[in-house]
């Protein structure tokens, strides 16, 4: 979506960079088609259950490694037991381009081995949390498609202030690494009806995060 008021790339915190309008509409549509496929097999998209017994409002399917609160495995033991699909090479290449664009430096050694695909319906949200099940401090790449949301990017100490609220629009890229890699972040609000049909999604919001787990098979 092109904005009336230009949205320049912005460093929100050290090594946490928002790059608006990074994905083309073609790339967004392609990712939506692939996400629909990944959401059905070999592991179905599901709302993960938290240790409290509550289910997340966001629905998730994974590539490479299956994430459930709060660990990774090769098989989706809480979602039918299937072995997760691999992260395709083209998605690794997209991740490299994303890190290079955000940090304005080549990122040929960036090799994400897990992708979490999250779908938000109009009421879904995600509380403040750290991505900390990975044993690597390599950057996290976040790609957004569909409805606009408020993305809250905080500090590395607690879930509260100081934080910065960033509007993530369809096609936006956000990368966080370096001293911000373990910053708390969350999605307090999705704005229903804000996505353009051209992105391939009729409603809701998709977010894809690419991560380096640093894990090895047993
Ligand atoms: C996440 O923190 O894993 C997802 C963030 C987002 O949906 O933008
Ligand atoms: Mn996260």
């Amino acid at each position: 979506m092109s904005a009336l008021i230009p949205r320049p790339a912005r460093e929100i915190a050290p090594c946490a960079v928002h790059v608006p309008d990074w994905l083309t509409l073609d790339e967004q549509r392609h990712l939506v088609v692939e996400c629909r496929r990944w959401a059905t097999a070999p592991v179905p998209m599901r709302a993960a259950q938290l240790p409290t017994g509550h289910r997340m409002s966001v629905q998730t399917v994974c590539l490479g490694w299956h994430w459930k609160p709060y660990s990774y495995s090769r098989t989706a033991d809480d979602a039918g037991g299937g072995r997760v699909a691999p992260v395709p090479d083209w998605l690794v290449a997209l991740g490299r381009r994303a890190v290079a664009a955000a940090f304005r430096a080549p990122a040929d050694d960036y090799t994400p081995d897990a992708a979490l695909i999250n779908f938000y319906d109009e009421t879904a949200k995600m509380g403040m949390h750290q991505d900390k099940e990975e044993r690597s401090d390599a950057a996290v790449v976040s790609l957004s498609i569909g409805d606009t949301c408020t993305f809250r990017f905080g500090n590395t100490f607690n879930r509260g202030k100081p934080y910065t609220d960033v509007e993530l629009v369809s096609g936006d890229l956000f990368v966080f690494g370096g001293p911000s890699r373990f910053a708390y972040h969350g999605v307090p609000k999705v704005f229903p009806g804000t996505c353009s049909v051209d992105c391939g999604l009729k409603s809701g919001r998709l977010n894809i995060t690419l991560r380096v787990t640093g894990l090895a098979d047993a």
Side-chain angles (χ1 to χ4, degrees), residues 60-84:
T60 309
V61 68
C62 307
L63 305 175
W65 290 86
H66 178 77
W67 180 85
K68 79 171 163 66
Y70 294 96
S71 62
Y72 283 106
S73 55
R74 286 296 194 191
T75 50
D77 303 327
D78 64 337
R83 191 180 166 88
V84 290

Side-chain angles (χ1 to χ4, degrees), residues 26-170:
D26 273 347
E27 287 171 329
Q28 293 175 51
R29 283 190 291 262
H30 177 240
L31 281 166
V32 170
V33 169
E34 294 299 293
C35 285
R36 287 207 169 99
R37 209 164 50 79
W38 293 327
T40 56
V43 175
M45 182 171 250
R46 54 76 173 105
Q49 187 164 22
L50 299 167
T52 58
H54 292 102
R55 286 207 179 265
M56 292 177 71
S57 54
V58 172
Q59 296 174 61
T60 309
V61 68
C62 307
L63 305 175
W65 290 86
H66 178 77
W67 180 85
K68 79 171 163 66
Y70 294 96
S71 62
Y72 283 106
S73 55
R74 286 296 194 191
T75 50
D77 303 327
D78 64 337
R83 191 180 166 88
V84 290
V87 180
D89 289 346
W90 63 264
L91 194 54
V92 172
L94 190 69
R96 285 183 184 148
R97 279 208 291 121
V99 173
F103 295 155
R104 296 168 183 272
D108 301 338
D109 56 350
Y110 183 69
T111 307
D113 62 336
L116 270 67
I117 295 122
N118 287 322
F119 179 74
Y120 296 72
D121 68 14
E122 56 193 29
T123 59
K125 46 178 101 166
M126 191 177 286
M128 293 295 276
H129 65 279
Q130 292 168 295
D131 292 353
K132 63 175 184 187
E133 283 68 63
E134 300 79 21
R135 308 245 167 84
S136 160
D137 59 5
V140 174
V141 166
S142 155
L143 302 166
S144 294
I145 302 171
D147 282 338
T148 300
C149 77
T150 300
F151 180 61
R152 183 161 290 171
F153 197 78
N155 62 80
T156 52
F157 305 109
N158 65 53
R159 291 186 163 75
K161 290 179 178 171
Y163 54 69
T164 304
D165 282 350
V166 181
E167 204 168 73
L168 291 184
V169 173
S170 196

Side-chain angles (χ1 to χ4, degrees), residues 13-33:
C15 296
V17 182
H18 176 210
V19 187
D21 302 318
W22 186 72
L23 291 166
T24 65
L25 282 172
D26 273 347
E27 287 171 329
Q28 293 175 51
R29 283 190 291 262
H30 177 240
L31 281 166
V32 170
V33 169

